[in-house]
């Protein structure tokens, strides 16, 4: 009985498994931090990426919307990928989608405190919409 229990628990606590889980978690945290920085930074003097044009530019707005879609789509995937190593599939996926929506809300609120930025309900809708779509994709393809 003890040998069987030890054989069952040993892979869970092995060095390689713990390192793999830690590596996934660090990648998810680093990506989340980078995405947050990109979304909350000043448009006129960004730390990462080019400065925004002073006048309205449709191509720039399309690029920003694509950035939101790709950024939050990857956010759901990376967080699910990190969490599925330590939690059941459904719980990891649900948390990843909810986390992405909450981060979208938080970054939009924080943008209202940046002098040359403002919050956008359209951006928030894109963030939550793509989070739900990527969550649905993960559920249908990988389950």
């Amino acid at each position: 009985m003890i040998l069987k229990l030890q054989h069952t628990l040993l892979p869970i606590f092995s060095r390689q498994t713990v390192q793999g889980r830690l590596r996934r978690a660090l990648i998810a945290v680093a990506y989340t931090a980078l995405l947050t920085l990109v979304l909350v930074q000043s448009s006129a003097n960004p730390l990462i990426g080019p400065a925004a044009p002073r006048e309205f530019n449709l191509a720039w707005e399309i690029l920003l919307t694509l950035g939101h879609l790709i950024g939050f789509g990857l956010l759901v995937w990376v967080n699910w990928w990190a969490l599925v190593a330590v939690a059941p599939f459904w719980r990891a996926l649900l948390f990843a989608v909810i986390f992405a929506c909450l981060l979208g809300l938080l970054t939009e609120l924080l943008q209202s405190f940046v002098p040359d930025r403002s919050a956008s309900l359209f951006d928030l809708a894109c963030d939550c919409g793509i989070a739900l779509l990527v969550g649905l994709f993960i559920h249908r393809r990988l389950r």
Side-chain angles (χ1 to χ4, degrees), residues 6-26:
Q6 182 181 8
H7 179 70
T8 304
L9 292 177
L10 189 60
I12 296 172
F13 295 107
S14 71
R15 184 178 178 141
Q16 185 178 11
T17 304
V18 171
Q19 285 179 345
R21 290 176 181 174
L22 182 60
R23 189 175 304 120
R24 285 180 179 211
L26 289 175

Side-chain angles (χ1 to χ4, degrees), residues 42 111-118:
S42 169
Q111 284 175 4
S112 65
F113 294 108
V114 177
D116 60 347
R117 300 290 301 267
S118 62

Side-chain angles (χ1 to χ4, degrees), residues 61-124:
E61 293 299 320
I62 291 171
L63 182 66
L64 290 179
T65 301
L66 286 174
H68 274 268
L69 296 175
I70 293 168
F72 278 85
L74 282 174
L75 180 69
V76 170
W77 184 82
V78 167
N79 281 308
W80 168 79
W81 175 71
L83 290 169
V84 80
V86 296
F89 182 91
W90 272 102
R91 193 173 297 159
L93 186 57
L94 183 63
F95 180 83
V97 170
I98 291 172
F99 179 76
C101 290
L102 289 175
L103 185 66
L105 177 64
L106 178 66
T107 56
E108 291 303 321
L109 290 174
L110 289 175
Q111 284 175 4
S112 65
F113 294 108
V114 177
D116 60 347
R117 300 290 301 267
S118 62
S120 167
L121 287 176
F122 177 76
D123 287 346
L124 180 59

